[in-house]
Amino acid sequence: MNNLERLIKLENDQILSEADLRILLDTFTEKDLSYAMKRARKVRERVFGNKVYIRGLIELTSYCVCDCLYCGIRRENKNAERYRLSKDDVLSCCRTGYELGFRTFVIQGGEDPYYTDEVMTEIVSSIRRAYPDCAITLSLGERSKESYKKLYEAGADRYLLRHETADEEHYGRLHPKGEHLRVRMKHLWDLKEIGYQVGTGFMVGSPFQNSSTLVKDLLFLKELNPEMVGIGPFVPHHESVFKDFEHGSLDLTLMLLSIIRLMMPDALIPSTTSLGTIHPRGREFGMEAGANVVMPNLSPTDVRKKYLLYDNKAFTGCEAAESLSLLEKSMDSIGFQVVVHRGDSSRAMIRNK
C-alpha cells in the first residue's frame, strides 16, 4: 500500500493502523501532502460547508505556577512580564467582541492561583448573564474536578487542555520532574464526564518528538474523541530551556491537520497563531488543510505582548480584533465565510436536544 492508498483508507475508515500512520508521517511527499489537504478540505466542506467560526481570545493572566520547559511564561522565567485582568477588564473585552460579532469567548491563561474558584465563577457567571447567547470556553490549565464542576455550573461550555504529547517518556522530557501524562489525561476524561465540550492537542516538532510519539497522539485523539483539536508548530522562546531548538515543520503540521480532519470529520480545528508565526500565510494554509476555526485576539492591546508563550508571536493584522475586516477578507480570498455563530460541535448539539 502506498501513501495515497493509505490516505484513501484513512478517509473511508477514519483510522489507520499504528504502522501505517507511522509510515505515512515518515515518508509523505509533496504530492501526498497536496492530496491529503485536498481530501481534508472536501471532508470539512461536507460537514461544515465553507464556514469559518471565530473565537474571541482573552488572555487572562501571564502568571503561572507551572514550569513547563518549553513555555515563555513558565514560573522560572524571571524576565517575563506579568499581568492579570480583572473581571471588569474581561467584560470590557467581551463587550468589544460582541459588538464585532463574536459569539464565543475563550478565556486563556497560565495556572494562576489568584483566580480561585470564587473569582473565576464570578467572571464566568458575569459573562453568562451579560451574553446568554454566547459560548464560554476556558483554557486555564489543570484545576480540581470540583473546580471544573463549579465553572461548568457557572456557565462555562467548553474547556481546552492540550495533552501536549501522548507518550509518557516524551511528556517527562517536556515538563519538570514529577509531572505525569496520566494525570493530564485524567483531567481530560474528568472534563468529558462533567459535560464540557473538550478540546485538546499537541505541538508539532516539539523537542524529542518523533513519528512514534505523533502516532500515539493521533490514536489518543481517536480514543478521547474531543470536540475540538488544536495543533500547531512548536516555536521556541528565548528564555525557555529549548531556546536553541528549531521550530516545527510547516509541511508536517499541515499533514497532521489533514490527517486529523480525515480521522475526525466533525471536529472543530483551529488554524493557530503559531502557524501564522512560522509562515506569513500559515493560517490560510491551515484552513486549506482542513481547519475551520480562527481565534483573533480580544485582549487589551497593552497586555498582548506580555502573553508570550513563544517568540515572534503575531500581534498585528488579523490577530487584532480591530482588524476583523482583514481576517474576513483573508478568509474570503481562499473561499471561506466568517460567520457569527457559537459554532458548537454537532455532537454537543445532539446531546443538548
Side-chain angles (χ1 to χ4, degrees):
M1 183 162 52
N2 61 36
N3 282 339
L4 292 181
E5 290 169 333
R6 290 186 178 91
L7 288 165
I8 292 169
K9 180 175 174 58
L10 177 61
E11 181 177 356
N12 290 336
D13 298 348
Q14 298 177 17
I15 193 64
L16 283 178
S17 70
E18 184 174 345
D20 279 324
L21 283 170
R22 189 167 58 250
I23 292 169
L24 179 59
L25 292 175
D26 281 336
T27 66
F28 74 87
T29 64
E30 186 177 335
K31 180 180 178 181
D32 297 331
L33 176 58
S34 177
Y35 182 78
M37 292 174 66
K38 176 182 176 182
R39 296 314 306 167
R41 287 195 300 273
K42 289 291 186 184
V43 169
R44 188 211 40 238
E45 288 166 8
R46 187 186 77 234
V47 178
F48 297 99
N50 70 340
K51 295 181 177 66
V52 177
Y53 300 110
I54 54 171
R55 318 303 203 195
L57 180 63
I58 301 170
E59 293 162 333
L60 183 67
T61 173
S62 64
Y63 284 89
C64 192
V65 298
C66 299
D67 200 31
C68 303
L69 305 185
Y70 49 82
C71 185
I73 63 169
R74 60 195 293 258
R75 182 186 67 234
E76 293 305 308
N77 180 6
K78 305 305 181 185
N79 294 318
E81 293 188 75
R82 308 294 183 178
Y83 73 90
R84 293 183 175 110
L85 299 185
S86 67
K87 180 183 78 172
D88 288 343
D89 293 329
V90 173
L91 288 172
S92 176
C93 294
C94 292
R95 184 163 55 250
T96 298
Y98 195 86
E99 291 170 356
L100 285 165
F102 291 85
R103 294 298 179 268
T104 290
F105 304 120
V106 180
I107 315 299
Q108 175 179 296
E111 293 190 20
D112 184 351
Y114 171 83
Y115 293 95
T116 61
D117 290 347
E118 182 179 5
V119 171
M120 278 311 305
T121 54
E122 176 58 26
I123 290 174
V124 170
S125 60
S126 296
I127 298 171
R128 174 56 61 227
R129 287 193 299 270
Y131 305 101
D133 57 331
C134 292
I136 302 171
T137 302
L138 302 178
S139 182
L140 301 172
E142 294 181 2
R143 300 173 74 94
S144 70
K145 188 174 182 180
E146 187 59 34
S147 177
Y148 295 143
K149 287 180 180 177
K150 289 178 180 178
L151 293 171
Y152 184 75
E153 290 166 358
D157 304 279
R158 307 167 183 157
Y159 205 101
L160 309 180
L161 183 66
R162 285 190 175 189
H163 66 277
E164 301 299 2
T165 173
D167 180 273
E168 182 73 62
E169 181 182 353
H170 188 210
Y171 193 89
R173 300 184 78 175
L174 299 179
H175 296 85
K177 187 176 181 180
E179 293 191 16
H180 299 287
L181 175 63
R182 64 179 179 273
V183 175
R184 176 60 60 96
M185 289 186 169
K186 184 179 187 305
H187 282 270
L188 287 165
W189 289 111
D190 285 346
L191 289 163
K192 282 185 73 79
E193 181 184 324
I194 290 166
Y196 282 97
Q197 296 174 49
V198 173
T200 193
F202 55 90
M203 296 177 291
V204 180
S206 62
F208 318 115
Q209 187 182 72
N210 55 44
S211 60
S212 294
T213 60
L214 285 170
V215 168
K216 289 182 180 180
D217 288 318
L218 294 171
L219 295 178
F220 173 66
L221 290 176
K222 193 66 178 175
E223 177 188 8
L224 182 68
N225 197 27
E227 284 81 4
M228 300 161 284
V229 179
I231 72 167
F234 164 76
V235 183
H237 188 281
H238 64 281
E239 295 281 358
S240 79
V241 173
F242 302 131
K243 62 183 179 180
D244 295 324
F245 282 71
E246 294 294 321
H247 66 68
S249 159
L250 174 66
D251 283 356
L252 181 56
T253 304
L254 296 176
M255 175 56 85
L256 284 160
L257 280 170
S258 299
I259 289 172
I260 292 166
R261 173 57 69 203
L262 296 176
M263 286 177 56
M264 308 175 70
D266 63 348
L268 294 160
I269 303 175
S271 189
T272 60
T273 304
S274 56
L275 264 173
T277 297
I278 68 168
H279 192 284
R281 296 197 69 247
R283 187 154 60 181
E284 288 81 0
F285 291 154
M287 299 301 297
E288 292 174 341
N292 64 333
V293 174
V294 288
M295 295 200 295
N297 203 330
L298 286 174
S299 305
T301 54
D302 62 333
V303 305
R304 291 180 190 174
K305 291 188 178 181
K306 298 177 183 179
Y307 195 80
L308 274 182
L309 305 183
Y310 50 82
D311 285 347
N312 304 313
K313 182 181 174 185
F315 297 105
T316 57
C318 298
E319 278 311 302
E322 295 82 358
S323 297
L324 183 59
S325 63
L326 292 178
L327 173 61
E328 292 170 337
K329 290 176 183 176
S330 169
M331 293 296 105
D332 182 68
S333 72
I334 55 174
F336 293 93
Q337 178 190 7
V338 173
V339 294
V340 176
H341 195 286
R342 281 173 49 115
D344 289 296
S345 80
S346 56
R347 277 177 273 149
M349 290 188 286
I350 290 169
R351 283 203 306 267
N352 293 334
K353 282 185 178 180

